[in-house]
């Protein structure tokens, strides 16, 4: 059974020493992804509108999409930026008929941003993505400088996430009867990986001999390793034996319903939401990413240092990991009031 979880790539078999939780930094340059290809259905979705777009602006959208693809941005980022550009063009053509996009003033751009914030009621983080999209559009398509002093990013509030306790996580996992779904949720928590990384795992990425999981092209566009839990591995073995006996190292670890496809993020999310309702935790503010936060916080509470947690979670910056220092203080760890000294 463990042969299924063999190392899929030859350079991973001999060149790396056994890894511990405290050291996960493996650096090498990943291969460049091929250019993004867009389907006709995707184009129809982007160009849905109640009136015909100006031909000149259609050319701008096509060029913007081509530049984003050339820059090798993630498909989701490309879809978001093109959709947001369409929103901007809609607004310009409605409010400034006959005006070219290159002639829109800074004040008029700020008016568009105010409309997003005050009328559309978008949160500041989403508005900032609109601003980032416009900045790239001006720079790469219109070939005009973007003045961040004229259109600054919005400030936004930061809230601490709701994080389940160890007991709550165990209750959620124990309540799942489907072996595949149980292995998915257990792996998310026990390894601290992102749901996007989970869905794209191959069977050969589970390296039992080193107790680690190979993550290819993570969110930060780099390869890394995550910790493999003994208990989670046992659940994987049970899942393979009961539902996936023909699995090969190159196959998706969690296949989807369509042949050759992996499971989708929404499917895993639906499983988690269902289990929250089943266990009575639905109103506590948890979401699927809460399992990743639980991994980091529970490691910190057990005594792991922040650098080890940073590498285990694949954070690009230590500032992302410092969240668990704040959450740990909220749980009564590491800080004692000076009023209680002596």
């Amino acid at each position: 059974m463990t042969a299924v979880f063999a190392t899929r790539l030859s350079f991973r078999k001999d060149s790396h020493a056994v890894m511990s939780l405290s050291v996960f930094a493996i650096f090498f340059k990943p291969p460049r992804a091929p250019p993004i290809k867009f389907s006709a259905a995707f184009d129809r979705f982007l160009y849905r509108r109640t009136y015909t777009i100006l031909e000149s602006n259609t050319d701008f959208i096509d060029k913007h999409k081509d530049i984003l693809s050339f820059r090798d941005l993630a498909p989701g980022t490309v879809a978001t930026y093109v959709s947001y550009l369409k929103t901007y063009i809609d607004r310009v053509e409605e409010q400034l008929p006959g005006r070219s996009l290159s002639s829109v003033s800074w004040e008029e751009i700020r008016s568009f941003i105010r409309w997003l914030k005050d009328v559309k009621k978008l949160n500041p983080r989403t508005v900032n993505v609109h601003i980032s999209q416009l900045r790239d559009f001006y720079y790469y398509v219109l070939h005009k400088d973007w003045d961040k002093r004229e259109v600054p990013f919005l400030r936004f509030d930061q809230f601490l996430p709701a994080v389940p306790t160890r007991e709550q996580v165990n209750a959620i996992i124990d309540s799942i009867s489907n072996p595949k779904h149980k292995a998915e949720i257990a792996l998310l928590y026990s390894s601290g990986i992102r749901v996007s990384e989970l869905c794209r795992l191959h069977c050969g990425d589970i390296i039992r001999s080193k107790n680690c999981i190979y993550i290819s092209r993570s969110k930060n566009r780099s390869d890394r390793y995550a910790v493999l839990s003994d208990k989670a591995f046992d659940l994987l073995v049970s899942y393979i034996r009961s539902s996936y006996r023909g699995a090969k190292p190159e196959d998706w670890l969690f296949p989807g319903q369509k042949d050759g496809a992996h499971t989708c993020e929404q499917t895993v999310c639906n499983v988690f939401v269902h289990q929250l309702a089943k266990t009575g935790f639905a109103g506590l503010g948890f979401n699927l990413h809460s399992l990743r936060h639980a991994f980091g916080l529970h490691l910190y509470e057990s005594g792991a240092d922040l650098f080890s947690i940073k590498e285990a979670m694949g954070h690009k910056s230590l500032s992302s990991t410092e969240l668990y220092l704040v959450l740990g203080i909220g749980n009564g760890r590491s800080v004692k009031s000076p009023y209680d000294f002596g």
Side-chain angles (χ1 to χ4, degrees):
M1 179 51 58
T2 55
V4 174
F5 302 117
T7 305
R8 181 162 52 91
L9 303 177
S10 59
F11 69 82
R12 288 191 279 127
K13 290 181 178 179
D14 303 315
S15 60
H16 298 299
V18 176
M19 303 174 61
S20 66
L21 179 61
S22 61
V23 180
F24 279 79
I26 304 295
F27 302 98
F28 59 92
K29 186 176 181 180
R32 183 178 178 83
I36 301 169
K37 296 181 179 180
F38 297 87
S39 65
F42 176 77
D43 286 334
R44 287 195 298 271
F45 170 77
L46 290 178
Y47 291 104
R48 286 185 301 179
R49 52 193 298 118
T50 56
Y51 58 91
T52 304
I53 190 172
L54 295 177
E55 184 177 353
S56 58
N57 291 337
T58 301
D59 293 338
F60 280 136
I61 292 178
D62 290 338
K63 184 174 181 180
H64 191 45
K65 185 170 65 175
D66 181 66
I67 290 293
L68 294 171
S69 175
F70 180 79
R71 292 173 61 197
D72 200 19
L73 299 183
T77 302
V78 175
T80 298
Y81 272 29
V82 174
S83 176
Y84 285 4
L85 176 60
K86 173 181 170 289
T87 300
Y88 174 68
I89 292 175
D90 282 347
R91 187 66 178 170
V92 170
E93 291 187 354
E94 178 186 346
Q95 298 294 315
L96 306 170
R99 292 279 297 278
S100 67
L101 296 181
S102 59
S103 67
V104 177
S105 67
W106 294 118
E107 176 57 38
E108 289 163 339
I109 294 176
R110 288 195 297 271
S111 178
F112 168 70
I113 299 301
R114 292 190 190 96
W115 175 74
L116 293 174
K117 181 170 66 77
D118 299 333
V119 178
K120 303 298 288 183
K121 303 297 182 182
L122 299 183
N123 68 62
R125 289 179 182 269
T126 303
V127 174
N128 284 343
V129 179
H130 277 271
I131 294 175
S132 295
Q133 181 278 133
L134 284 174
R135 177 196 60 196
D136 286 7
F137 175 70
Y138 266 65
Y139 186 77
Y140 292 107
V141 179
L142 297 182
H143 298 160
K144 296 182 65 175
D145 290 333
W146 181 262
D147 193 340
K148 63 182 181 181
R149 295 167 298 184
E150 293 283 356
V151 187
F153 286 112
L154 274 59
R155 297 184 65 180
F156 53 85
D157 297 327
Q158 292 181 297
F159 302 97
L160 292 177
V163 182
T165 64
R166 289 184 179 89
E167 293 75 19
Q168 288 171 327
V169 172
N170 289 331
I172 292 170
I173 296 174
D174 292 343
S175 69
I176 304 174
S177 57
N178 183 293
K180 178 182 177 181
H181 296 162
K182 191 166 192 167
E184 289 172 341
I185 301 303
L187 209 58
L188 283 173
Y189 168 65
S190 64
S191 301
I193 59 178
R194 303 174 179 91
V195 64
S196 60
E197 297 168 344
L198 173 90
C199 293
R200 291 162 180 78
L201 286 177
H202 293 84
C203 293
D205 294 331
I206 306 298
I207 309 176
R208 176 57 171 168
S209 61
K210 298 180 180 179
N211 285 334
C212 63
I213 303 171
Y214 174 71
I215 308 294
S216 174
R217 291 182 66 82
S218 64
K219 179 181 177 181
N220 296 325
R221 303 178 68 87
S222 60
D223 295 2
R224 67 183 183 92
Y225 287 93
V227 63
L228 174 63
S229 158
D230 291 335
K231 292 170 65 176
F233 180 79
D234 290 341
L235 292 176
L236 283 173
V237 171
S238 298
Y239 151 60
I240 293 293
R241 285 175 175 170
S242 64
S243 312
Y244 202 18
R245 283 187 173 273
K248 301 179 180 64
E250 64 272 15
D251 292 338
W252 296 115
L253 181 58
F254 300 110
Q257 293 184 349
K258 295 182 179 180
D259 291 340
H262 57 70
T263 189
C264 67
E265 298 175 23
Q266 189 59 50
T267 299
V268 183
C269 182
N270 291 342
V271 170
F272 185 71
V273 170
H274 175 73
Q275 296 308 131
L276 287 179
K278 185 177 179 180
T279 53
F281 302 146
L284 300 182
F286 301 147
N287 55 46
L288 198 55
H289 201 70
S290 300
L291 294 175
R292 179 167 162 84
H293 286 316
F295 172 82
L297 177 59
H298 298 166
L299 276 182
Y300 179 70
E301 290 177 337
S302 66
D305 62 273
L306 287 181
F307 180 78
S308 299
I309 299 172
K310 169 184 175 295
E311 299 303 327
M313 301 188 70
H315 285 158
K316 190 173 183 179
S317 170
L318 190 62
S319 61
S320 299
T321 318
E322 290 173 352
L323 167 67
Y324 305 112
L325 174 62
V326 178
L327 291 172
I329 294 174
N331 283 1
R333 185 188 186 276
S334 77
V335 173
K336 184 177 181 180
S337 172
Y339 190 56
D340 295 329
F341 292 167

